């Protein structure tokens, strides 16, 4: 998931960024995760937690691609429909999609009906399968974990990309992936725990166990 500063999914600008906000439950979160119950639940239970399996990472790469130009809240609301439409993001099944499946997806009002992004998901499923000969997608992506993680006090302090996300994007493109730019890959690294961009003071900072609070 892109943070508000890097892609604006919640409409929070840097000038409106108060850092952490203490909710009615006494827990501190960034403003983007403080009001919408869906985003709050996602932040509290999922965002930034380690994902180390092939299917899980393939799903997140796919959803990050679909988010381009949209808000994360939009994608999160549609995620159940995405999972049904793409057979649970099983790379084996998605890789076999052809013209009938593409048309089915284009006709599916429950997802983002963008032909280029649908085709990219199929292309990336095929690339995911090929990567098994090199240790697999999860190992490949996690090999770009940096030596340090950001220590932001406000959303504005969170980078939108890093040398590692640039390198990951380049390496994935070399393996045949598409819609995997440096900003999108930085968002992926945040979402699956490779880096920890929870704000200092948030009750979730350090929750992944990958990085200290």
């Amino acid at each position: 998931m892109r943070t508000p500063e890097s892609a604006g999914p919640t409409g929070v600008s840097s000038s409106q960024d108060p850092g952490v906000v203490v909710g009615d439950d006494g827990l501190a979160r960034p403003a983007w995760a403080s009001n919408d119950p869906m985003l709050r639940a996602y932040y509290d239970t999922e965002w930034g937690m380690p994902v180390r399996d092939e299917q899980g990472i393939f799903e997140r790469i796919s959803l990050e691609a679909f988010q381009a130009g949209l808000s994360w809240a939009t994608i999160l609301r549609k995620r159940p429909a995405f999972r049904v439409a793409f057979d649970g993001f099983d790379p084996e099944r998605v890789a076999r999609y052809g013209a009938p499946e593409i048309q089915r997806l284009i006709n599916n009002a429950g997802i983002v009906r963008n032909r280029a992004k649908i085709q990219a998901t199929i292309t990336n499923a095929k690339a995911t399968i090929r990567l098994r000969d090199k240790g697999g997608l999860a190992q490949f992506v996690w090999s770009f974990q940096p030596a340090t993680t950001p220590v932001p006090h406000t959303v504005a302090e969170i980078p939108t990309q890093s040398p590692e996300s640039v390198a990951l994007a380049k390496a994935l493109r070399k393996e045949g992936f598409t819609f995997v730019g440096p900003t999108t890959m930085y968002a992926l690294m945040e979402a699956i725990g490779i880096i920890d961009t929870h704000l200092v003071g948030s009750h979730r900072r350090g929750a992944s166990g990958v990085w200290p609070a």
Side-chain angles (χ1 to χ4, degrees), residues 78-119:
K78 291 177 177 288
R79 184 166 63 170
F82 269 111
R83 285 174 168 170
V84 172
F86 282 94
D87 290 303
F89 288 99
D90 178 344
E92 295 275 0
R93 299 183 70 173
V94 176
R96 295 195 293 269
Y97 285 3
E101 289 79 13
I102 292 174
Q103 191 58 50
R104 169 178 62 80
L105 292 164
I106 289 292
N107 294 337
N108 188 338
I111 66 170
V112 176
R113 295 182 288 181
N114 180 297
R115 185 178 294 273
K117 293 176 181 179
I118 291 169
Q119 185 60 62

Side-chain angles (χ1 to χ4, degrees), residues 1-175:
M1 177 201 136
R2 296 165 182 78
T3 62
E5 181 66 18
S6 61
T10 60
V12 178
S13 69
S14 58
S15 63
Q16 300 169 320
D17 181 9
V20 294
V21 175
V22 178
D24 53 14
D25 57 1
L27 299 177
R29 303 173 180 85
W32 67 263
S34 297
N35 297 316
D36 185 317
M38 178 187 66
L39 289 174
R40 178 188 283 202
Y42 177 71
Y43 180 82
D44 283 352
T45 63
E46 185 174 350
W47 187 63
M49 295 302 290
V51 177
R52 298 182 183 273
D53 66 289
E54 178 189 81
Q55 192 163 330
I57 292 181
F58 171 63
E59 175 184 338
R60 284 156 179 80
I61 287 176
S62 302
L63 293 179
E64 291 290 350
F66 274 103
Q67 188 199 338
L70 302 170
S71 74
W72 178 248
T74 295
I75 299 301
L76 196 57
R77 289 189 184 96
K78 291 177 177 288
R79 184 166 63 170
F82 269 111
R83 285 174 168 170
V84 172
F86 282 94
D87 290 303
F89 288 99
D90 178 344
E92 295 275 0
R93 299 183 70 173
V94 176
R96 295 195 293 269
Y97 285 3
E101 289 79 13
I102 292 174
Q103 191 58 50
R104 169 178 62 80
L105 292 164
I106 289 292
N107 294 337
N108 188 338
I111 66 170
V112 176
R113 295 182 288 181
N114 180 297
R115 185 178 294 273
K117 293 176 181 179
I118 291 169
Q119 185 60 62
T121 304
I122 300 169
T123 297
N124 291 347
K126 294 175 181 178
T128 294
I129 292 171
R130 290 195 301 271
L131 261 183
R132 292 173 181 172
D133 293 334
K134 298 183 178 181
L137 178 62
Q139 180 179 313
F140 189 89
V141 170
W142 274 87
S143 72
F144 290 85
Q145 180 180 344
T148 61
T149 193
V151 188
H153 289 80
T154 65
V155 171
E157 294 176 9
I158 301 173
T160 59
Q161 56 181 258
S162 67
E164 292 81 14
S165 77
V166 171
L168 174 57
K170 181 178 180 181
L172 285 172
R173 285 195 295 266
K174 185 176 180 180
E175 298 296 334

